[in-house]
Amino acid sequence: MNIFKNTAKTLCLCLAMFLPLTTHAQPSGEIIFQHGEEPFEIWIGNVREKRTSRRIFNRLLLPMTLAIQKGDRYILTVAERFADDELALAFDAYLLDRQRPRATEKNLTQGKYGDILDADVSKNGDVIFTNSGCPNVLVACGLYLIPQHEREKLTPKAELLLQVDAGSVDWAPNGKKIAYCTKNSIFGFDLLTKTSIKYTHHGCYPVFSPDGRHIAYIHRGDPKKTQIGLFSLSSGRTIKIIELKENDWLHYLTWTADGQYIVYTLIDHDSSYLNFAVSLDRFHTTRILESYPGGVPKLEWTSRGYFVEPANRLTTLWGELKQQDAK
């Protein structure tokens, strides 16, 4: 009987030691990203397999933002343009077409709206952007919409939806609402009613979850701390504050394709980038993209099939074995 009890205890101990290794998971899947060491280049690759990554665009544009239209054909970026080794003084919204990789990128705003601060593209192809005032451009600051049909024209026209001093902006997955931030607060804008509602104080850089139920954002409740807030649209309140290190400089914020992870980028002290994922089940933070040189400044998941792989797994995946055999 004692032998049986001791054997059972040993088995339980082994399970306790190894179960976390097999159940704790890390995000994976396909991403489009700005290269960490070649900032003018946009690449596509797998989170877990750097060897499969490849460059898809190399332009004289320095991307400040990154957005992908559902279907992964179009990439939208707010960028500065370089020409003749000189930096243009304007930020515009540019559209790149993956089906026409050699074609010139399309400048959607063409300097007509001052400096563009942020832009996003809906699943239907509509573009939303915010701008800042410019002495030489007599336009209002606010939320602007370029409908998909207007986007195809040589000189697209933008409609002013709301005159407001806004910063970052993000489409809801259903394409019917927009989240934007002012200096101190985050608001939602309804395209149907053309009305705004305040979501939360002390926040900026709102990003909708893929299911549209939550918004991740940079929380600014304490100026001495770097924090990420998780806002619930159903309850209308912030349900979680994720604490980062005091001196961390948060550079980019997004979600994985399945909405199970909030992903963020930090700027390291040597100007390289560190990428992390926070799981929504236990809010466990995991380092990702460590094999990518210099880290990844900006990244977004494609709409292709998404899967999760176990971290610190005890077995090697069959695909990796085949790749090793092929060497």
Side-chain angles (χ1 to χ4, degrees):
M1 191 67 175
N2 289 333
I3 295 176
F4 175 77
K5 289 183 178 180
N6 291 335
T7 302
K9 289 181 180 179
T10 302
L11 179 61
C12 290
L13 180 61
C14 291
L15 288 174
M17 291 175 61
F18 290 111
L19 188 59
L21 297 179
T22 58
T23 58
H24 169 54
Q26 287 187 351
S28 187
E30 189 179 58
I31 57 172
I32 292 176
F33 60 95
Q34 180 186 22
H35 198 281
E37 295 184 337
E38 301 293 341
F40 291 94
E41 298 181 359
I42 296 177
W43 287 53
I44 189 170
N46 191 283
V47 173
R48 300 294 297 276
E49 291 295 336
K50 181 182 72 68
R51 291 172 294 179
T52 64
S53 63
R54 59 184 176 87
R55 185 178 66 190
I56 53 177
F57 290 106
N58 181 17
R59 305 294 171 83
L60 293 176
L61 297 175
L62 185 61
M64 299 292 109
T65 67
L66 192 64
I68 308 171
Q69 185 178 346
K70 185 177 181 180
D72 308 328
R73 174 178 175 178
Y74 295 102
I75 298 174
L76 178 71
T77 179
V78 174
E80 291 179 284
R81 177 183 290 281
F82 281 76
D84 300 325
D85 297 326
E86 293 184 2
L87 176 64
L89 298 179
F91 293 85
D92 276 303
Y94 295 89
L95 193 69
L96 299 96
D97 187 348
R98 290 184 59 200
Q99 291 187 7
R100 302 176 62 201
R102 297 179 181 272
T104 302
E105 64 280 351
K106 185 167 187 176
N107 188 338
L108 297 176
T109 50
Q110 303 177 9
K112 298 178 180 295
Y113 304 93
D115 282 330
I116 307 305
L117 299 178
D118 195 13
D120 194 20
V121 58
S122 74
K123 65 177 183 178
N124 298 321
D126 301 321
V127 172
I128 190 80
F129 68 84
T130 60
N131 65 338
S132 63
C134 180
N136 299 322
V137 181
L138 300 178
V139 295
C141 295
L143 290 177
Y144 283 84
L145 173 69
I146 302 178
Q148 194 278 335
H149 68 270
E150 192 71 32
R151 196 182 81 180
E152 305 302 321
K153 296 181 180 180
L154 183 63
T155 304
K157 292 182 180 180
E159 173 192 356
L160 178 62
L161 296 177
L162 181 68
Q163 187 169 343
V164 61
D165 189 10
S168 56
V169 64
D170 195 60
W171 277 107
N174 61 12
K176 298 178 180 180
K177 291 184 179 181
I178 299 163
Y180 68 93
C181 72
T182 60
K183 185 177 180 180
N184 297 310
S185 302
I186 295 175
F187 293 82
F189 181 82
D190 191 302
L191 270 296
L192 180 62
T193 63
K194 299 294 193 298
T195 57
S196 292
I197 182 174
K198 181 180 284 188
Y199 285 156
T200 184
H201 300 281
H202 309 303
C204 65
Y205 203 93
V207 186
F208 278 100
S209 62
D211 61 7
R213 298 171 58 187
H214 298 92
I215 292 176
Y217 66 96
I218 298 176
H219 185 72
R220 290 180 172 173
D222 188 337
K224 296 182 180 180
K225 295 182 179 180
T226 303
Q227 300 171 319
I228 296 174
L230 180 62
F231 180 82
S232 169
L233 289 164
S234 59
S235 66
R237 63 185 182 89
T238 296
I239 58 176
K240 181 68 177 179
I241 298 294
I242 302 167
E243 299 277 355
L244 307 183
K245 294 181 181 179
E246 182 175 346
N247 296 321
D248 285 344
W249 186 2
L250 195 57
H251 177 71
Y252 199 76
L253 188 65
T254 187
W255 291 80
T256 54
D258 66 348
Q260 297 303 307
Y261 291 83
I262 299 172
V263 175
Y264 63 92
T265 300
L266 301 178
I267 298 181
D268 204 3
H269 301 294
D270 61 355
S271 298
S272 61
Y273 299 92
L274 306 175
N275 305 102
F276 298 89
V278 182
S279 63
L280 289 195
D281 55 355
R282 297 183 181 180
F283 294 98
H284 175 83
T285 301
T286 304
R287 178 86 180 271
I288 61 173
L289 300 168
E290 292 183 80
S291 62
Y292 282 72
V296 173
K298 303 168 185 68
L299 70 154
E300 294 294 338
W301 260 257
T302 69
S303 58
R304 294 191 180 185
Y306 179 87
F307 59 94
V308 174
E309 295 176 358
N312 301 319
R313 55 183 179 269
L314 300 180
T315 60
T316 303
L317 295 184
W318 174 242
E320 294 182 6
L321 283 174
K322 290 198 294 183
Q323 289 179 350
Q324 292 171 9
D325 290 341
K327 292 181 179 180

